[in-house]
Coordinates of all heavy atoms in Angstrom, one line a residue:
R83 N 172.4 93.9 249.4 CA 172.5 94.2 247.9 C 171.3 94.7 247.3 O 170.2 94.2 247.5 CB 173.0 93.0 247.1 CG 173.3 93.3 245.7 CD 174.2 92.2 245.0 NE 174.7 92.7 243.8 CZ 174.3 92.3 242.6 NH1 173.2 91.4 242.5 NH2 174.8 92.8 241.4
H87 N 174.1 96.7 238.7 CA 175.1 96.2 237.8 C 175.1 94.7 237.8 O 175.5 94.2 238.9 CB 176.5 96.8 238.1 CG 177.5 96.5 236.9 ND1 178.3 97.5 236.4 CD2 177.9 95.3 236.3 CE1 179.1 96.9 235.4 NE2 178.8 95.7 235.4
G88 N 174.6 94.0 236.8 CA 174.6 92.5 236.9 C 173.4 92.0 237.4 O 172.6 92.6 238.1
S89 N 173.2 90.6 237.2 CA 172.1 89.9 237.7 C 172.1 89.8 239.3 O 173.2 89.6 239.9 CB 172.0 88.5 237.2 OG 171.1 87.7 237.8
K90 N 170.9 90.0 239.9 CA 170.9 89.9 241.4 C 171.2 88.5 241.9 O 171.5 88.3 243.0 CB 169.6 90.4 241.9 CG 168.3 89.6 241.5 CD 167.1 90.2 242.0 CE 165.9 89.4 241.6 NZ 164.6 90.0 242.1
K91 N 170.9 87.5 240.9 CA 171.0 86.1 241.3 C 172.5 85.6 241.2 O 172.9 84.6 241.8 CB 170.1 85.2 240.5 CG 168.6 85.4 240.8 CD 167.8 84.4 239.9 CE 166.3 84.7 240.2 NZ 165.5 83.8 239.4
L92 N 173.3 86.3 240.4 CA 174.6 85.8 240.0 C 175.8 86.5 240.7 O 176.8 85.9 240.6 CB 174.8 85.9 238.5 CG 173.8 85.1 237.6 CD1 174.2 85.3 236.1 CD2 173.9 83.6 237.9
H93 N 175.5 87.6 241.4 CA 176.6 88.3 242.0 C 176.3 88.6 243.4 O 176.4 89.9 243.8 CB 176.8 89.6 241.1 CG 177.0 89.4 239.7 ND1 178.2 89.0 239.2 CD2 176.1 89.4 238.7 CE1 178.2 88.9 237.9 NE2 176.9 89.1 237.5
P94 N 176.2 87.6 244.3 CA 176.0 88.0 245.7 C 177.3 88.4 246.3 O 178.3 88.1 245.9 CB 175.6 86.6 246.3 CG 176.2 85.6 245.4 CD 176.2 86.2 244.0
Q95 N 177.2 89.2 247.4 CA 178.3 89.8 248.1 C 178.2 89.4 249.6 O 177.1 89.1 250.0 CB 178.5 91.2 248.0 CG 178.8 91.8 246.6 CD 179.2 93.2 246.5 OE1 180.1 93.7 247.4 NE2 178.7 93.9 245.6
Y97 N 182.0 89.2 248.0 CA 182.8 88.4 247.0 C 183.9 87.7 247.8 O 184.6 88.3 248.7 CB 183.5 89.3 246.0 CG 184.6 88.6 245.2 CD1 184.3 87.7 244.2 CD2 186.0 88.8 245.5 CE1 185.3 87.0 243.5 CE2 187.0 88.2 244.8 CZ 186.6 87.2 243.8 OH 187.6 86.6 243.1
V115 N 185.0 100.5 233.8 CA 185.9 99.4 234.3 C 187.0 99.1 233.3 O 187.7 98.1 233.5 CB 185.1 98.1 234.7 CG1 184.2 98.5 235.9 CG2 184.4 97.6 233.6
L118 N 190.5 98.9 234.7 CA 190.5 97.7 235.6 C 190.6 96.4 234.9 O 191.5 95.6 235.2 CB 189.3 97.7 236.6 CG 189.1 96.6 237.5 CD1 190.4 96.4 238.4 CD2 187.9 96.9 238.4
T119 N 189.8 96.2 233.8 CA 189.8 95.0 233.1 C 191.1 94.8 232.3 O 191.6 93.7 232.2 CB 188.6 94.9 232.1 OG1 188.5 96.1 231.3 CG2 187.3 94.8 232.9
L122 N 193.8 93.6 234.7 CA 193.6 92.2 235.0 C 194.0 91.3 233.8 O 194.6 90.3 234.0 CB 192.2 91.9 235.5 CG 191.8 92.6 236.8 CD1 190.4 92.3 237.1 CD2 192.6 92.0 238.0
I127 N 194.3 87.3 233.9 CA 193.1 87.0 234.7 C 191.8 87.3 233.9 O 191.6 88.4 233.4 CB 193.1 87.9 236.0 CG1 194.3 87.6 236.8 CG2 191.8 87.8 236.8 CD1 194.5 88.6 238.0
K128 N 191.0 86.2 233.8 CA 189.7 86.4 233.0 C 188.7 87.4 233.8 O 188.6 87.4 234.9 CB 189.1 85.1 232.8 CG 189.9 84.1 231.9 CD 189.2 82.8 231.8 CE 190.0 81.8 230.9 NZ 189.2 80.5 230.7
T129 N 188.1 88.2 232.9 CA 187.2 89.2 233.6 C 185.7 89.1 233.0 O 184.9 89.8 233.5 CB 187.7 90.6 233.2 OG1 187.7 90.8 231.8 CG2 189.1 90.9 233.8
E130 N 185.5 88.1 232.1 CA 184.1 87.9 231.6 C 183.2 87.5 232.7 O 183.6 86.7 233.6 CB 184.1 87.0 230.4 CG 184.9 87.3 229.2 CD 186.4 87.1 229.3 OE1 186.8 86.5 230.3 OE2 187.1 87.4 228.3
N131 N 182.0 87.9 232.6 CA 180.9 87.5 233.6 C 181.1 88.0 235.0 O 180.3 87.5 235.9 CB 180.7 86.0 233.5 CG 180.4 85.5 232.1 OD1 179.6 86.1 231.4 ND2 181.1 84.4 231.8
F132 N 182.0 89.0 235.2 CA 182.2 89.5 236.5 C 181.5 90.9 236.6 O 181.7 91.6 235.5 CB 183.6 89.5 237.0 CG 184.2 88.2 237.2 CD1 185.2 87.7 236.4 CD2 183.8 87.4 238.4 CE1 185.7 86.4 236.6 CE2 184.4 86.2 238.6 CZ 185.3 85.6 237.7
N133 N 180.9 91.3 237.6 CA 180.5 92.7 237.7 C 181.5 93.6 238.3 O 182.6 93.1 238.6 CB 179.1 92.8 238.5 CG 179.3 92.5 240.0 OD1 180.4 92.2 240.5 ND2 178.2 92.7 240.7
D134 N 181.2 94.9 238.5 CA 182.2 95.8 238.9 C 182.8 95.5 240.3 O 184.0 95.5 240.5 CB 181.7 97.2 238.9 CG 180.4 97.4 239.7 OD1 179.7 96.5 239.9 OD2 180.2 98.6 240.2
S135 N 181.9 95.1 241.2 CA 182.3 94.8 242.6 C 183.3 93.6 242.6 O 184.4 93.6 243.3 CB 181.1 94.5 243.5 OG 180.3 95.6 243.5
E136 N 183.0 92.6 241.8 CA 183.8 91.3 241.8 C 185.2 91.6 241.1 O 186.2 91.1 241.6 CB 183.1 90.3 241.1 CG 181.9 89.7 241.8 CD 181.0 88.9 240.9 OE1 181.0 89.1 239.7 OE2 180.2 88.1 241.4
L137 N 185.2 92.5 240.2 CA 186.5 92.9 239.5 C 187.4 93.6 240.5 O 188.6 93.4 240.6 CB 186.2 93.8 238.3 CG 185.6 93.1 237.1 CD1 185.3 94.1 236.0 CD2 186.5 92.0 236.5
M138 N 186.8 94.5 241.3 CA 187.6 95.2 242.4 C 188.1 94.2 243.4 O 189.3 94.3 243.7 CB 186.6 96.2 243.2 CG 186.1 97.3 242.4 SD 184.9 98.3 243.3 CE 186.0 99.2 244.4
I140 N 188.8 91.0 242.8 CA 189.8 90.2 242.1 C 191.1 90.9 242.1 O 192.2 90.4 242.2 CB 189.3 89.8 240.7 CG1 188.1 88.8 240.9 CG2 190.4 89.3 239.9 CD1 187.4 88.6 239.5

Side-chain angles (χ1 to χ4, degrees):
R83 185 163 195 257
H87 189 128
S89 166
K90 65 181 180 180
K91 294 183 179 180
L92 298 178
H93 304 278
Q95 290 193 48
Y97 165 79
V115 295
L118 178 55
T119 54
L122 294 174
I127 298 173
K128 294 182 179 181
T129 59
E130 295 83 3
N131 302 320
F132 292 109
N133 70 357
D134 58 334
S135 302
E136 291 162 339
L137 291 172
M138 294 173 76
I140 290 168

